[in-house]
Amino acid sequence: MASDWATFGADLHLELRGTRLRAGLMDALREAVRSGRLAPGTRLPSSRSLAADLGLARNTVADAYAELVAEGWLTARQGSGTRVARRTAPRPPAAAAPPPPSAGSVRRRPATPVHNLNSGTPDLASFPRADWLKAYRRALTDAPNEAFGYGDPRGRPELRTALAEYLARARGVHARPERIVICAGFVHGLMLIGQVLRARGVRDVAVESYGLDLHDGLLRRAGLGTPVLGFDERGTRTGELAGLDGCGAVLMTAAHQYPLGGALPPDRRAEVVDWARASGGLVLEDDYDGEFRYDRRSVGALQGLDPERVAYLGTASKSLAPGLRLAWMVLPGDLAVEVAETKGAVGWSSSTPDQLAFAEFLRSGAYDRHVRAMRLRYRRRRDQLVAAVAAHSPETRVSGIAAGLHAVLALPPGTEQATLRAAAWRGLAVQGVNAFRRPTVPLTLDGLVVGYATPPDSGWQGALGALCGVLP
Amino acid sequence: MASDWATFGADLHLELRGTRLRAGLMDALREAVRSGRLAPGTRLPSSRSLAADLGLARNTVADAYAELVAEGWLTARQGSGTRVARRTAPRPPAAAAPPPPSAGSVRRRPATPVHNLNSGTPDLASFPRADWLKAYRRALTDAPNEAFGYGDPRGRPELRTALAEYLARARGVHARPERIVICAGFVHGLMLIGQVLRARGVRDVAVESYGLDLHDGLLRRAGLGTPVLGFDERGTRTGELAGLDGCGAVLMTAAHQYPLGGALPPDRRAEVVDWARASGGLVLEDDYDGEFRYDRRSVGALQGLDPERVAYLGTASKSLAPGLRLAWMVLPGDLAVEVAETKGAVGWSSSTPDQLAFAEFLRSGAYDRHVRAMRLRYRRRRDQLVAAVAAHSPETRVSGIAAGLHAVLALPPGTEQATLRAAAWRGLAVQGVNAFRRPTVPLTLDGLVVGYATPPDSGWQGALGALCGVLP
């Protein structure tokens, strides 16, 4: 059987049986359509190029195409070329039917969500397509040829230089291009750092009481333990770090706790850095939405306090779009070398045209403009959220509103699950605070995490109304 | 110390000391420049926007800028805004000097390479910038908003649909969109499959006698053993698979052995698939340059023989550019589900605008045109290589020339290392066959692996001359 598959044609893979060329070509095409190898709608090469590939006269191919069009196997339309007809193709024999939708509960089901207030995604409708395209065009035009090759595992120097400038200016980060490593999202960066820490012999990385399972799971997948720091009304209890033997690092959302929303108070910022200095440990600073603060006082990156003891991780996922897969780490010198080596050994990176486009986007001021515009827009939504909650449910406390893309609405004790069920029935997707609580942390808070950046403008008022409808 | 860093300003991170606002702002800016936090050349926000952020009168900021320009800290130029002056910034105090260049051998050193015939990279100067930009523009314009979000870990459906069509047509692959998983390069795909196989309990993945250490190392990093299949004049000895207990998969470059260049003969193609069927094993088909064949007879993907037992891996790294980080896997149904889950758990993917652009590039026929043009170009180079070698060194046998972007030049036994040293002295970067030999495989071949696609057109004749100069 195998040898039958050595066939003619470089682009079009067909079995030509026999020597009657036109008939053979027609048979092979029919068979390819019948078996599903050529899917309905597939565009065939022009008769000229197929003829060149197969070493046939152009007329032989053109005649075969014409006959198959007449037979209904193919279609030919001005401007769209010759294609496999839509109605002639059965499913290929090897094709299993797609899995049936999960039967699930056949009892009355919650409405399919129509309003989305899940946190973690910016307003995708506001992606600055025109400005991004402009930056991409310029970057692609100016790129040196070598930019299309495999390149430096740390990422393009143009982008690392632009980021160093931006992060110093906007986030108080001590950044030099050679200490920056570009990665394909925060999670990619955390995975690389986790692997390096494990290889260095670190046993545990402490995490906060509330956070994303995904991050915790990633560290454990790298072979690290994840002891949990306690939480009180002032935030994460950084003093507990001193009591954790074998803990080599701590993962923190210092500027804006995720999801509870507070900034770590100054004495605890000092405490975590002092711990790292005294113990030789490392602080992993997840600065996921540092660009978005709405009050006067803004909190600089923890990294500015001690660039040798803090690894800073930032991302374009909240400020621009997650789909770009662009994020960055600013690392202590020795860690930068090891993380770059680890990244290089597994050989992938973000697309270089995208990196160059983002460098141009930063350099040209388009990023500043976009962040500024989005800050106004999100701030307006936050104000509308606060006002709507105050009007519909005056006793509901709203917190975590000084910054970021989400707020926390406190609920009466014991009512979170019932409120989430009510939301689902109203077609509102929203998460409870306890979806982010580490399993070992006792239940002390009930609340909703409201991602007010998520809906497009057209869906915002509806989502807000659905939310108010489920509040006490 | 920490509390000092709670500062004013959302975009510009400065410590404002005291209440004399203009003087305070000037002090803070001077300090930021002096410490290196604001790098030379950094563009400052407009006085209007900084004033808004800081809650100052615009004139206060404008006056402070003007005085600092007068003092030489900043520069102001029409159209480029206010920037940190180039000459005023010392290195930040935390900045260590870059490491000195490795001392290395102080004896006479080989010339820095000026000619590059290393294999594995296409001609980057031929990247179709204009056509790619056209596809990117169209994709970005047409993209639904949700395309900018996190998305399906398998990749964009538009791209998987376009690839299914293309792969069936061009490579004889049985591809359905739901069985395709997009990845950021072959290595990323291999890593994902390796992790899934290990989790399934597979112990070993067999590899060929010659190949890339990177791939072998990646499998071992996933916890898999990598027994080596023997090699003879007909290619990889697939019959040895039957004798490998505990071997659950085999990694093959069936269409074009890397780097030796042959196609696996039909009986061995059948043998490897029969082994997979009989043992429940899996064939990992690395189809890295399947688009480039120069003779009439082209070899279809092994995957076409049994889509349930062969995982097909393809890439745009050779056909377009490695910098795009775009590759794809076509997987048996159960493996597709597990690989997508594994990819999702570590949360990253290729940029969605790039995926949409590539889908458009395929759909529009631009990919076919580019591959066709490059095939002609590479074929011409291959012919020039064969002719030059025949003229300068008639006894040197050139093999692996039916396909791909590289050829193998056989050398007299025992002369490979000396030839490579001679090449380095002439400024020619090229690799020997034995750089790809697995450590346990006995040395039986001497030769050069010549990547004739690598140089730009302007460098090709020079590289060819340097190569001929070192042949016997």
PDB file of all heavy atoms in Angstrom, chain A residues 19 57 78 87 152 155 168 193 260 287 296 301 306-307 321-322 372 387 406 423 461 470-471:
ATOM      1  N   THR A  19      -1.866   5.160 -17.895  1.00  0.00           N
ATOM      2  CA  THR A  19      -1.166   6.107 -18.742  1.00  0.00           C
ATOM      3  C   THR A  19      -2.108   7.038 -19.488  1.00  0.00           C
ATOM      4  O   THR A  19      -1.669   8.011 -20.079  1.00  0.00           O
ATOM      5  CB  THR A  19      -0.307   5.371 -19.789  1.00  0.00           C
ATOM      6  OG1 THR A  19      -1.165   4.450 -20.464  1.00  0.00           O
ATOM      7  CG2 THR A  19       0.828   4.613 -19.129  1.00  0.00           C
ATOM      8  N   ALA A  57       0.607  18.500 -20.578  1.00  0.00           N
ATOM      9  CA  ALA A  57       0.224  19.669 -21.356  1.00  0.00           C
ATOM     10  C   ALA A  57      -0.873  20.413 -20.601  1.00  0.00           C
ATOM     11  O   ALA A  57      -1.711  19.794 -19.946  1.00  0.00           O
ATOM     12  CB  ALA A  57      -0.272  19.246 -22.733  1.00  0.00           C
ATOM     13  N   GLN A  78     -15.651  32.728 -12.145  1.00  0.00           N
ATOM     14  CA  GLN A  78     -14.757  33.828 -12.449  1.00  0.00           C
ATOM     15  C   GLN A  78     -14.203  34.417 -11.148  1.00  0.00           C
ATOM     16  O   GLN A  78     -14.973  34.750 -10.244  1.00  0.00           O
ATOM     17  CB  GLN A  78     -15.545  34.888 -13.238  1.00  0.00           C
ATOM     18  CG  GLN A  78     -14.685  35.914 -13.948  1.00  0.00           C
ATOM     19  CD  GLN A  78     -13.899  35.287 -15.093  1.00  0.00           C
ATOM     20  OE1 GLN A  78     -14.344  34.356 -15.726  1.00  0.00           O
ATOM     21  NE2 GLN A  78     -12.697  35.794 -15.340  1.00  0.00           N
ATOM     22  N   ARG A  87     -21.310  19.926  -2.773  1.00  0.00           N
ATOM     23  CA  ARG A  87     -22.257  18.858  -2.451  1.00  0.00           C
ATOM     24  C   ARG A  87     -21.754  17.459  -2.720  1.00  0.00           C
ATOM     25  O   ARG A  87     -22.392  16.479  -2.373  1.00  0.00           O
ATOM     26  CB  ARG A  87     -23.552  19.071  -3.239  1.00  0.00           C
ATOM     27  CG  ARG A  87     -23.383  18.991  -4.724  1.00  0.00           C
ATOM     28  CD  ARG A  87     -24.559  19.603  -5.469  1.00  0.00           C
ATOM     29  NE  ARG A  87     -24.121  20.169  -6.727  1.00  0.00           N
ATOM     30  CZ  ARG A  87     -23.831  19.449  -7.806  1.00  0.00           C
ATOM     31  NH1 ARG A  87     -23.935  18.139  -7.791  1.00  0.00           N
ATOM     32  NH2 ARG A  87     -23.420  20.054  -8.909  1.00  0.00           N
ATOM     33  N   ASP A 152      17.431  35.681  19.188  1.00  0.00           N
ATOM     34  CA  ASP A 152      17.842  35.646  20.590  1.00  0.00           C
ATOM     35  C   ASP A 152      16.676  35.154  21.449  1.00  0.00           C
ATOM     36  O   ASP A 152      15.579  35.704  21.353  1.00  0.00           O
ATOM     37  CB  ASP A 152      18.218  37.095  20.984  1.00  0.00           C
ATOM     38  CG  ASP A 152      18.817  37.195  22.368  1.00  0.00           C
ATOM     39  OD1 ASP A 152      18.447  36.417  23.267  1.00  0.00           O
ATOM     40  OD2 ASP A 152      19.674  38.078  22.565  1.00  0.00           O
ATOM     41  N   GLY A 155      14.420  37.609  23.171  1.00  0.00           N
ATOM     42  CA  GLY A 155      13.479  38.442  22.407  1.00  0.00           C
ATOM     43  C   GLY A 155      14.243  39.513  21.650  1.00  0.00           C
ATOM     44  O   GLY A 155      15.453  39.698  21.826  1.00  0.00           O
ATOM     45  N   ALA A 168      10.658  52.003  33.115  1.00  0.00           N
ATOM     46  CA  ALA A 168      11.276  52.958  34.033  1.00  0.00           C
ATOM     47  C   ALA A 168      10.362  54.162  34.215  1.00  0.00           C
ATOM     48  O   ALA A 168      10.126  54.624  35.335  1.00  0.00           O
ATOM     49  CB  ALA A 168      12.638  53.396  33.495  1.00  0.00           C
ATOM     50  N   ILE A 193      10.498  30.650  34.912  1.00  0.00           N
ATOM     51  CA  ILE A 193      11.133  30.960  36.192  1.00  0.00           C
ATOM     52  C   ILE A 193      10.999  29.770  37.145  1.00  0.00           C
ATOM     53  O   ILE A 193      11.951  29.412  37.846  1.00  0.00           O
ATOM     54  CB  ILE A 193      10.510  32.230  36.814  1.00  0.00           C
ATOM     55  CG1 ILE A 193      10.848  33.458  35.957  1.00  0.00           C
ATOM     56  CG2 ILE A 193      11.015  32.437  38.236  1.00  0.00           C
ATOM     57  CD1 ILE A 193      10.239  34.766  36.474  1.00  0.00           C
ATOM     58  N   LEU A 260      -8.624  40.322  45.057  1.00  0.00           N
ATOM     59  CA  LEU A 260      -9.315  41.133  46.070  1.00  0.00           C
ATOM     60  C   LEU A 260      -9.124  42.628  45.888  1.00  0.00           C
ATOM     61  O   LEU A 260      -9.910  43.432  46.381  1.00  0.00           O
ATOM     62  CB  LEU A 260      -8.907  40.686  47.483  1.00  0.00           C
ATOM     63  CG  LEU A 260      -9.310  39.229  47.807  1.00  0.00           C
ATOM     64  CD1 LEU A 260      -8.941  38.878  49.235  1.00  0.00           C
ATOM     65  CD2 LEU A 260     -10.793  38.975  47.578  1.00  0.00           C
ATOM     66  N   ASP A 287       2.736  41.994  37.941  1.00  0.00           N
ATOM     67  CA  ASP A 287       2.186  43.346  37.767  1.00  0.00           C
ATOM     68  C   ASP A 287       1.232  43.329  36.573  1.00  0.00           C
ATOM     69  O   ASP A 287       1.478  43.974  35.555  1.00  0.00           O
ATOM     70  CB  ASP A 287       3.339  44.332  37.545  1.00  0.00           C
ATOM     71  CG  ASP A 287       2.892  45.789  37.684  1.00  0.00           C
ATOM     72  OD1 ASP A 287       2.119  46.078  38.611  1.00  0.00           O
ATOM     73  OD2 ASP A 287       3.326  46.615  36.870  1.00  0.00           O
ATOM     74  N   ARG A 296      -5.244  59.346  42.638  1.00  0.00           N
ATOM     75  CA  ARG A 296      -4.036  60.111  42.490  1.00  0.00           C
ATOM     76  C   ARG A 296      -2.779  59.308  42.805  1.00  0.00           C
ATOM     77  O   ARG A 296      -1.818  59.322  42.097  1.00  0.00           O
ATOM     78  CB  ARG A 296      -4.064  61.296  43.460  1.00  0.00           C
ATOM     79  CG  ARG A 296      -4.836  62.459  42.951  1.00  0.00           C
ATOM     80  CD  ARG A 296      -4.084  63.126  41.800  1.00  0.00           C
ATOM     81  NE  ARG A 296      -4.633  64.451  41.606  1.00  0.00           N
ATOM     82  CZ  ARG A 296      -4.319  65.454  42.420  1.00  0.00           C
ATOM     83  NH1 ARG A 296      -3.461  65.281  43.405  1.00  0.00           N
ATOM     84  NH2 ARG A 296      -4.867  66.618  42.221  1.00  0.00           N
ATOM     85  N   ALA A 301       6.334  49.823  41.075  1.00  0.00           N
ATOM     86  CA  ALA A 301       6.636  48.398  41.152  1.00  0.00           C
ATOM     87  C   ALA A 301       7.531  48.130  42.352  1.00  0.00           C
ATOM     88  O   ALA A 301       8.438  48.895  42.667  1.00  0.00           O
ATOM     89  CB  ALA A 301       7.316  47.942  39.870  1.00  0.00           C
ATOM     90  N   ASP A 306      14.315  46.778  44.998  1.00  0.00           N
ATOM     91  CA  ASP A 306      15.519  45.958  44.948  1.00  0.00           C
ATOM     92  C   ASP A 306      15.532  45.086  43.700  1.00  0.00           C
ATOM     93  O   ASP A 306      15.061  43.944  43.717  1.00  0.00           O
ATOM     94  CB  ASP A 306      15.648  45.092  46.212  1.00  0.00           C
ATOM     95  CG  ASP A 306      17.038  44.480  46.312  1.00  0.00           C
ATOM     96  OD1 ASP A 306      17.739  44.391  45.273  1.00  0.00           O
ATOM     97  OD2 ASP A 306      17.443  44.096  47.422  1.00  0.00           O
ATOM     98  N   PRO A 307      16.100  45.623  42.621  1.00  0.00           N
ATOM     99  CA  PRO A 307      16.083  44.899  41.339  1.00  0.00           C
ATOM    100  C   PRO A 307      16.837  43.573  41.375  1.00  0.00           C
ATOM    101  O   PRO A 307      16.664  42.752  40.472  1.00  0.00           O
ATOM    102  CB  PRO A 307      16.779  45.870  40.384  1.00  0.00           C
ATOM    103  CG  PRO A 307      16.706  47.206  41.049  1.00  0.00           C
ATOM    104  CD  PRO A 307      16.720  46.946  42.510  1.00  0.00           C
ATOM    105  N   ALA A 321      -4.257  43.238  24.477  1.00  0.00           N
ATOM    106  CA  ALA A 321      -5.112  42.083  24.196  1.00  0.00           C
ATOM    107  C   ALA A 321      -4.353  40.801  24.509  1.00  0.00           C
ATOM    108  O   ALA A 321      -3.174  40.687  24.173  1.00  0.00           O
ATOM    109  CB  ALA A 321      -5.549  42.068  22.737  1.00  0.00           C
ATOM    110  N   PRO A 322      -5.029  39.824  25.102  1.00  0.00           N
ATOM    111  CA  PRO A 322      -4.372  38.545  25.377  1.00  0.00           C
ATOM    112  C   PRO A 322      -3.953  37.835  24.098  1.00  0.00           C
ATOM    113  O   PRO A 322      -2.959  37.112  24.089  1.00  0.00           O
ATOM    114  CB  PRO A 322      -5.453  37.728  26.089  1.00  0.00           C
ATOM    115  CG  PRO A 322      -6.503  38.697  26.527  1.00  0.00           C
ATOM    116  CD  PRO A 322      -6.424  39.858  25.591  1.00  0.00           C
ATOM    117  N   ARG A 372      -4.032  55.486  28.136  1.00  0.00           N
ATOM    118  CA  ARG A 372      -4.716  56.661  28.671  1.00  0.00           C
ATOM    119  C   ARG A 372      -6.217  56.621  28.308  1.00  0.00           C
ATOM    120  O   ARG A 372      -7.083  56.842  29.161  1.00  0.00           O
ATOM    121  CB  ARG A 372      -4.057  57.922  28.096  1.00  0.00           C
ATOM    122  CG  ARG A 372      -4.326  59.196  28.846  1.00  0.00           C
ATOM    123  CD  ARG A 372      -3.554  60.342  28.217  1.00  0.00           C
ATOM    124  NE  ARG A 372      -2.114  60.164  28.284  1.00  0.00           N
ATOM    125  CZ  ARG A 372      -1.382  60.452  29.357  1.00  0.00           C
ATOM    126  NH1 ARG A 372      -1.953  60.931  30.440  1.00  0.00           N
ATOM    127  NH2 ARG A 372      -0.074  60.265  29.353  1.00  0.00           N
ATOM    128  N   ALA A 387     -21.981  53.503  41.213  1.00  0.00           N
ATOM    129  CA  ALA A 387     -23.244  54.237  41.334  1.00  0.00           C
ATOM    130  C   ALA A 387     -24.441  53.293  41.248  1.00  0.00           C
ATOM    131  O   ALA A 387     -25.405  53.405  42.022  1.00  0.00           O
ATOM    132  CB  ALA A 387     -23.321  55.303  40.232  1.00  0.00           C
ATOM    133  N   HIS A 406     -11.274  45.220  37.571  1.00  0.00           N
ATOM    134  CA  HIS A 406     -12.342  44.496  38.254  1.00  0.00           C
ATOM    135  C   HIS A 406     -12.534  45.076  39.648  1.00  0.00           C
ATOM    136  O   HIS A 406     -11.672  45.775  40.173  1.00  0.00           O
ATOM    137  CB  HIS A 406     -12.025  43.004  38.340  1.00  0.00           C
ATOM    138  CG  HIS A 406     -10.873  42.691  39.254  1.00  0.00           C
ATOM    139  ND1 HIS A 406      -9.557  42.717  38.840  1.00  0.00           N
ATOM    140  CD2 HIS A 406     -10.836  42.384  40.573  1.00  0.00           C
ATOM    141  CE1 HIS A 406      -8.768  42.425  39.847  1.00  0.00           C
ATOM    142  NE2 HIS A 406      -9.509  42.214  40.917  1.00  0.00           N
ATOM    143  N   ALA A 423     -27.306  34.497  39.271  1.00  0.00           N
ATOM    144  CA  ALA A 423     -26.678  35.162  38.126  1.00  0.00           C
ATOM    145  C   ALA A 423     -26.732  34.270  36.891  1.00  0.00           C
ATOM    146  O   ALA A 423     -27.082  34.720  35.793  1.00  0.00           O
ATOM    147  CB  ALA A 423     -25.234  35.532  38.461  1.00  0.00           C
ATOM    148  N   GLN A 461     -24.347  48.099  29.685  1.00  0.00           N
ATOM    149  CA  GLN A 461     -25.516  48.462  30.506  1.00  0.00           C
ATOM    150  C   GLN A 461     -26.367  47.231  30.826  1.00  0.00           C
ATOM    151  O   GLN A 461     -26.860  47.083  31.948  1.00  0.00           O
ATOM    152  CB  GLN A 461     -26.358  49.543  29.804  1.00  0.00           C
ATOM    153  CG  GLN A 461     -25.700  50.922  29.755  1.00  0.00           C
ATOM    154  CD  GLN A 461     -25.420  51.525  31.139  1.00  0.00           C
ATOM    155  OE1 GLN A 461     -26.028  51.144  32.138  1.00  0.00           O
ATOM    156  NE2 GLN A 461     -24.460  52.445  31.197  1.00  0.00           N
ATOM    157  N   VAL A 470     -29.264  40.691  40.864  1.00  0.00           N
ATOM    158  CA  VAL A 470     -28.980  39.560  41.755  1.00  0.00           C
ATOM    159  C   VAL A 470     -28.410  40.007  43.096  1.00  0.00           C
ATOM    160  O   VAL A 470     -28.140  39.170  43.957  1.00  0.00           O
ATOM    161  CB  VAL A 470     -28.016  38.540  41.111  1.00  0.00           C
ATOM    162  CG1 VAL A 470     -28.600  38.009  39.810  1.00  0.00           C
ATOM    163  CG2 VAL A 470     -26.639  39.134  40.872  1.00  0.00           C
ATOM    164  N   LEU A 471     -28.224  41.305  43.274  1.00  0.00           N
ATOM    165  CA  LEU A 471     -27.662  41.760  44.552  1.00  0.00           C
ATOM    166  C   LEU A 471     -28.756  41.788  45.617  1.00  0.00           C
ATOM    167  O   LEU A 471     -29.935  41.948  45.303  1.00  0.00           O
ATOM    168  CB  LEU A 471     -27.047  43.157  44.378  1.00  0.00           C
ATOM    169  CG  LEU A 471     -25.819  43.205  43.468  1.00  0.00           C
ATOM    170  CD1 LEU A 471     -25.304  44.634  43.351  1.00  0.00           C
ATOM    171  CD2 LEU A 471     -24.714  42.277  43.970  1.00  0.00           C
TER     172      LEU A 471
END
